[in-house]
């Protein structure tokens, strides 16, 4: 059901991000269009050398080093992205009712990094719990990254995390949209954050599952749709949006990146880790229905594919079911360039494609040197950007463990 | 440890907590929290660091004695005498 009332139409007015290889949207987009990978090697306790997506950004631009040390990596990433989003939106919080701002952060997981570090620390002191840090609980409560953002920006409205595995970024975006439509807040600061590169357990678990990527050249390790893929490249990152109701955005003459015209979430209800294409297809179709669109109206589908054989093929089945006979629908994959940023993935990948609504370019998927025939989708954009001519609507997929699917549809702003 | 050495250790711990802390103008007789950007969690960091470095347990009832730099040094001097 398409929303037409300005108070129910939700638009994106600001983007703040830290991605592997970029600390702002312009640089991020340039990397994606150039096919430049942000993946490098990192050393990890117990695991050794692994390819990973790490973020370099000015960590003390908005917060003292002391506070970064006190808080978490997720908090550090989130505070940076939140300030950047607010600045990008041209919002003056000094003249904004901060009690009417909501902070909604999508997380795949939180607390693994901090717990592993404390357990390691404890092992250095004969496992005497007197040496367990008083910082452990405030660092590991699930609202930690969102709460650190509110403290840094003096936001007194609601804040909480949305846990939705790797669909979490999109889920938080949807939460922000819904809270604006309910008039619960006037501004939603929402998106996804991941600090998972700090957790050896996340790497080890994917490895045990046979789903951790390895490659002699890190920039070639993330290769969704390619026959030579061997798993996921784990990344950290953050991407937060400012969402506003259209009438509020127009009243302050805000820059509008796009309007979220459709969304959907559903559950596979069948397996802990394996995705299921019929539910993914249903999720995409539901988002299209809510947007009042057909598949042919979609110009870019930004895929979730992570570089696991089963997952890639399953999503391609869903795409074939929904996007059959859509000659102008281009398909790409951002993870091939930045790895899998977990809770931040959906929002980062959407951000990387948002500029296409203006420049009309579809960023390429890289590392598809030997296309898996089962992933041979029409209009899969590979190696070089595609001049699409028309890019009005982007559909972004994000799926996660325990069978959670999310789809967001964004259109360029039209009166 | 001498009182001077203990003082240096405390300043080092505070600097490690907050490298922006202005230690040069710190007045030894005044409460640390009135002069520095330290809160109760930072204070617990100091206690934890003493525990890690010297296996020194500071009982909670003694925390008030660590309020200022001078009182901290006075409290620790007999306890770190043999370190």
């Amino acid at each position: 059901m398409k929303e037409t009332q300005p108070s129910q139409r939700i638009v994106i007015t600001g983007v703040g991000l830290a991605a592997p290889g970029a600390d702002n949207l312009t640089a991020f987009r340039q990397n994606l269009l150039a096919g430049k990978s942000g993946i490098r090697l990192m050393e990890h306790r117990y695991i050794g050398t692994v390819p990973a997506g790490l973020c370099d950004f000015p960590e003390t631009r908005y917060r003292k080093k002391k506070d970064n040390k006190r808080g978490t990596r997720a908090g550090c990433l989130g505070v940076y992205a939140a300030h950047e989003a607010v600045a990008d939106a041209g919002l003056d919080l000094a003249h904004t009712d901060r009690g009417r701002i909501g902070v909604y952060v999508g997380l795949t997981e939180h607390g693994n990094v901090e717990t592993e570090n404390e357990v390691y620390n404890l092992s250095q002191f004969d496992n005497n719990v007197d040496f367990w840090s008083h910082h452990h609980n405030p660092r590991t409560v699930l609202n930690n990254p969102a709460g650190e953002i509110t403290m840094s920006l003096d936001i007194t409205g609601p804040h909480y995390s949305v846990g939705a595995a790797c669909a979490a970024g999109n889920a938080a975006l949807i939460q922000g949209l819904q809270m604006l439509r309910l008039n619960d807040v006037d501004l939603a600061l929402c998106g996804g954050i991941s600090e998972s590169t700090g957790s050896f357990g996340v790497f080890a678990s994917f490895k045990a599952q046979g789903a951790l990527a390895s490659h002699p050249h890190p920039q070639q390790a993330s290769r969704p749709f390619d026959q030579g893929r061997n798993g996921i490249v784990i990344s950290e990152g953050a991407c937060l949006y400012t969402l506003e109701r259209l009438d509020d955005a127009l009243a302050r003459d805000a820059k509008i990146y796009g309007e979220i015209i459709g969304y959907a979430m559903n559950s596979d209800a069948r397996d802990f880790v394996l995705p299921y294409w019929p539910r993914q297809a249903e999720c995409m179709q539901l988002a299209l229905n809510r947007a009042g669109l057909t598949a042919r109206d979609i110009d870019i589908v930004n895929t979730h594919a992570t570089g696991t054989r089963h997952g890639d093929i399953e999503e391609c089945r869903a795409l074939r079911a929904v996007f059959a006979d859509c000659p102008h629908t281009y398909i790409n994959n951002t993870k091939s360039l930045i790895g899998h940023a977990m809770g931040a993935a959906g929002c980062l990948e959407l951000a990387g494609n948002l500029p296409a609504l203006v420049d009309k370019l579809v960023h390429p998927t890289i590392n598809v040197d030997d296309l898996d025939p089962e992933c041979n989708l029409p209009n899969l954009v590979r190696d070089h950007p595609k001049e699409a001519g028309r890019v009005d609507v982007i559909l972004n997929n994000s799926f996660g463990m325990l069978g959670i699917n999310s789809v967001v549809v964004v259109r360029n702003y039209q009166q | 440890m001498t009182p001077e050495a203990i003082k240096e250790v405390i300043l080092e711990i505070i600097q490690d907590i907050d490298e922006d802390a202005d230690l040069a103008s710190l007045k030894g007789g005044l409460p640390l929290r009135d002069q520095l950007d330290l809160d109760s969690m930072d204070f617990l960091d100091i206690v934890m660091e003493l525990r890690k470095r010297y296996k020194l347990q500071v009982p909670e009832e003694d925390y008030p004695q660590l309020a200022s730099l001078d009182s901290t040094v006075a409290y620790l001097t007999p306890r770190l005498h043999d370190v």
Side-chain angles (χ1 to χ4, degrees):
Chain A
M1 131 194 84
K2 191 177 163 188
E3 295 292 348
T4 54
Q5 293 295 321
S7 65
Q8 293 295 297
R9 293 176 64 182
I10 308 303
V11 293
I12 298 169
T13 57
V15 181
L17 62 82
D23 65 8
N24 63 79
L25 181 56
T26 302
F28 185 37
R29 179 67 175 170
Q30 284 171 353
N31 287 350
L32 299 182
L33 290 176
K36 186 178 170 189
S37 168
I39 304 304
R40 63 195 197 217
L41 293 176
M42 76 175 285
E43 289 295 320
H44 219 300
R45 181 192 301 153
Y46 310 133
I47 294 289
T49 306
V50 286
L54 303 173
C55 299
D56 300 311
F57 59 101
E59 297 175 12
T60 54
R61 178 178 290 174
Y62 303 111
R63 194 164 79 160
K64 284 178 63 176
K65 196 169 184 177
K66 174 177 184 285
D67 294 322
N68 285 334
K69 205 169 173 179
R70 159 79 66 89
T72 62
R73 179 65 174 171
C76 181
L77 284 157
V79 164
Y80 174 78
H83 279 268
E84 289 280 299
V86 168
D88 185 50
L91 286 160
D92 178 8
L93 293 193
H95 297 96
T96 303
D97 181 354
R98 297 178 199 225
R100 293 283 297 170
I101 302 174
V103 181
Y104 312 104
V105 172
L107 301 173
T108 291
E109 53 82 26
H110 182 76
N112 277 314
V113 176
E114 296 75 21
T115 304
E116 289 174 10
N117 287 344
E118 281 306 313
V119 169
Y120 177 78
N121 173 62
L122 211 59
S123 73
Q124 308 302 300
F125 296 96
D126 297 326
N127 296 319
N128 179 349
V129 293
D130 287 347
F131 293 91
W132 189 268
S133 174
H134 47 284
H135 293 298
H136 179 71
N137 287 348
R139 283 175 180 157
T140 58
V141 287
L142 202 55
N143 63 317
N144 167 278
E148 289 198 29
I149 290 168
T150 60
M151 287 191 286
S152 181
L153 281 165
D154 287 330
I155 290 171
T156 57
H159 84 264
Y160 48 87
S161 298
V162 180
C166 298
N170 278 1
L173 201 60
I174 293 166
Q175 181 72 17
L177 173 146
Q178 291 171 331
M179 288 296 131
L180 285 164
R181 283 186 175 165
L182 287 170
N183 198 31
D184 197 61
V185 294
D186 294 330
L187 175 73
L189 195 49
C190 53
I193 301 173
S194 173
E195 61 173 18
S196 295
T197 47
S199 163
F200 78 87
V202 173
F203 284 84
S205 184
F206 277 129
K207 191 175 183 183
Q209 195 189 329
L212 183 69
S214 62
H215 197 283
H217 305 290
Q219 300 199 333
Q220 296 173 37
S222 186
R223 36 197 324 119
F225 308 134
D226 184 78
Q227 292 269 49
R229 64 186 175 254
N230 58 12
I232 294 167
V233 172
I234 298 164
S235 297
E236 65 174 0
C239 181
L240 295 171
Y241 295 96
T242 56
L243 299 187
E244 297 175 70
R245 289 181 286 269
L246 177 61
D247 46 3
D248 290 341
L250 291 176
R252 68 177 190 87
D253 199 23
K255 167 183 62 185
I256 295 176
Y257 281 97
E259 177 181 358
I260 303 174
I261 57 169
Y263 67 87
M265 292 192 70
N266 69 357
S267 305
D268 295 342
R270 55 184 286 131
D271 195 274
F272 277 77
V273 292
L274 296 179
Y276 186 56
W277 75 263
R279 295 292 167 268
Q280 294 176 349
E282 285 173 11
C283 196
M284 284 187 260
Q285 191 58 56
L286 179 57
L288 288 171
N289 295 347
R290 285 176 172 161
L293 300 178
T294 68
R296 280 183 161 234
D297 297 317
I298 301 298
D299 302 306
I300 298 175
V301 174
N302 181 247
T303 58
H304 170 77
T306 63
T308 66
R309 184 172 184 277
H310 185 91
D312 292 3
I313 291 172
E314 207 71 0
E315 185 176 10
C316 288
R317 285 181 179 142
L319 291 170
R320 281 194 201 94
V322 177
F323 292 95
D325 193 25
C326 293
H328 192 270
T329 302
Y330 293 96
I331 293 169
N332 69 359
N333 179 277
T334 310
K335 288 187 183 73
S336 62
L337 294 133
I338 63 165
H340 189 349
M342 316 296 282
C347 286
L348 267 181
E349 293 163 14
L350 175 63
N353 283 277
L354 272 185
L357 297 173
V358 177
D359 64 28
K360 310 300 178 191
L361 296 171
V362 186
H363 87 64
T365 309
I366 65 167
N367 295 328
V368 188
D369 300 325
D370 183 12
L371 179 64
D372 182 344
E374 295 193 68
C375 299
N376 189 6
L377 299 166
N379 289 343
L380 174 64
V381 179
R382 294 163 57 182
D383 299 328
H384 304 287
K386 174 71 182 177
E387 291 186 21
R390 183 195 79 202
V391 179
D392 292 334
V393 191
I394 297 167
L395 182 145
N396 173 256
N397 281 341
S398 265
F399 311 132
M401 286 187 178
L402 283 300
I404 186 164
N405 306 308
S406 71
V407 176
V408 170
V409 181
V410 178
R411 187 180 62 191
N412 56 8
Y413 169 60
Q414 300 168 3
Q415 291 184 345
Chain B
M1 288 176 77
T2 64
E4 290 73 26
I6 292 171
K7 180 181 172 186
E8 285 309 308
V9 165
I10 297 301
L11 292 175
E12 183 185 301
I13 292 172
I14 293 172
Q15 193 84 74
D16 192 46
I17 293 168
D18 182 5
E19 65 183 46
D20 299 324
D22 178 16
L23 300 180
S25 55
L26 194 66
K27 292 181 175 59
L30 298 179
L32 290 166
R33 285 173 62 175
D34 290 353
Q35 305 174 77
L36 300 170
D37 179 21
L38 296 179
D39 61 18
S40 59
M41 295 291 271
D42 297 314
F43 179 76
L44 290 174
D45 277 337
I46 297 172
V47 172
M48 176 66 84
E49 198 57 29
L50 291 170
R51 189 178 300 148
K52 285 182 177 178
R53 290 187 186 202
Y54 308 114
K55 304 223 177 335
L56 177 72
Q57 292 283 7
V58 179
E60 196 171 340
E61 58 267 26
D62 290 352
Y63 287 178
Q65 298 190 53
L66 306 186
S68 72
L69 186 58
D70 288 353
S71 68
T72 303
V73 172
Y75 175 79
L76 293 176
T77 298
R79 289 166 177 80
L80 298 178
H81 183 265
D82 296 329
V83 174

